Amino acid sequence: MKMFFPMMIDIDKMKVLIVGGGKIAYRKYNNVAMYANNITIVAKSFNESFLKEEFLKDNTDVKLLEKGFELSDLDGYDMVYAATDDRALNMAISEHCHSKKILVNSVDNHENSSFINMGIFDCEIDDEKVLIGVSCQGKNPKLVKTIKYQLEEYFASRREKR
């Protein structure tokens, strides 16, 4: 059984690549956008969330490459999300990243990933800003989401009582 070591990492100066243009790729983009400044997204096509005028206007530092993916597209990146609907392609991306020591998250199989994301949120506890993360080791994202929302509600109600 694969176990992931929980840690926080500064990705501000890392080059991040997201392969895929669908809703999961968009969600992964939203997860890293507040922490990374150099993000490229490559896909044959992009869903409407990526193409909305406000997305394009607000994210001038994000590069959208509308093309077919090639393994050479991984060159020079520090962190990669394999977020396509093609399991074989996600596997090939993961294998290539592992061989090149590039951090990779395969959205369809955490076993092929070198990292996973946690459900995270900011809150204030005793006037201190805190970042809280929840993980099920990549096995149950729905449960992570449920626990995250329950904790957010708990800490929000706790702050309101003060």
Side-chain angles (χ1 to χ4, degrees):
M1 177 167 115
K2 189 170 194 168
M3 295 289 290
F4 291 92
F5 178 74
M7 65 186 298
M8 297 182 74
I9 183 170
D10 180 5
I11 63 170
D12 180 53
K13 300 209 177 13
M14 288 186 172
K15 287 182 69 178
V16 178
L17 177 67
I18 300 171
V19 183
K23 68 179 185 180
I24 293 174
Y26 187 74
R27 192 168 65 235
K28 294 301 179 181
Y29 163 77
N30 282 322
N31 287 344
V32 298
M34 67 170 71
Y35 301 101
N37 291 314
N38 192 342
I39 302 171
T40 301
I41 306 160
V42 62
K44 287 181 187 173
S45 63
F46 293 95
N47 84 1
E48 65 278 355
S49 298
F50 283 115
L51 301 176
K52 285 182 180 171
E53 185 177 328
E54 55 272 9
F55 175 85
L56 297 171
K57 183 178 71 177
D58 294 342
N59 296 291
T60 55
D61 55 338
V62 175
K63 295 179 206 96
L64 297 182
L65 302 177
E66 194 166 353
K67 67 179 212 69
F69 173 79
E70 301 168 27
L71 285 177
S72 62
D73 292 334
L74 298 169
D75 294 345
Y77 286 92
D78 304 299
M79 176 184 279
V80 173
Y81 285 90
T84 76
D85 57 3
D86 181 336
R87 291 180 74 82
L89 178 56
N90 289 346
M91 173 67 111
I93 291 168
S94 293
E95 288 174 352
H96 188 79
C97 287
H98 287 303
S99 74
K100 300 290 185 183
K101 305 289 187 225
I102 300 169
L103 292 172
V104 63
N105 174 271
S106 181
V107 300
D108 59 1
N109 188 341
H110 72 277
E111 292 290 327
N112 296 333
S113 301
S114 56
F115 75 95
I116 55 175
N117 291 113
M118 293 190 282
I120 60 172
F121 65 96
D122 292 314
C123 67
E124 252 185 53
I125 300 174
D126 298 332
D127 297 323
E128 292 289 331
K129 189 172 181 175
V130 177
L131 178 68
I132 296 179
V134 179
S135 174
C136 287
Q137 293 285 322
K139 294 182 182 100
N140 194 337
K142 192 174 184 177
L143 178 60
V144 168
K145 192 174 188 178
T146 299
I147 294 169
K148 175 189 154 194
Y149 288 135
Q150 289 173 347
L151 287 171
E152 280 181 302
E153 287 177 13
Y154 169 77
F155 286 110
S157 69
R158 186 172 172 235
R159 192 171 80 213
E160 290 169 4
K161 289 178 184 176
R162 292 192 302 146

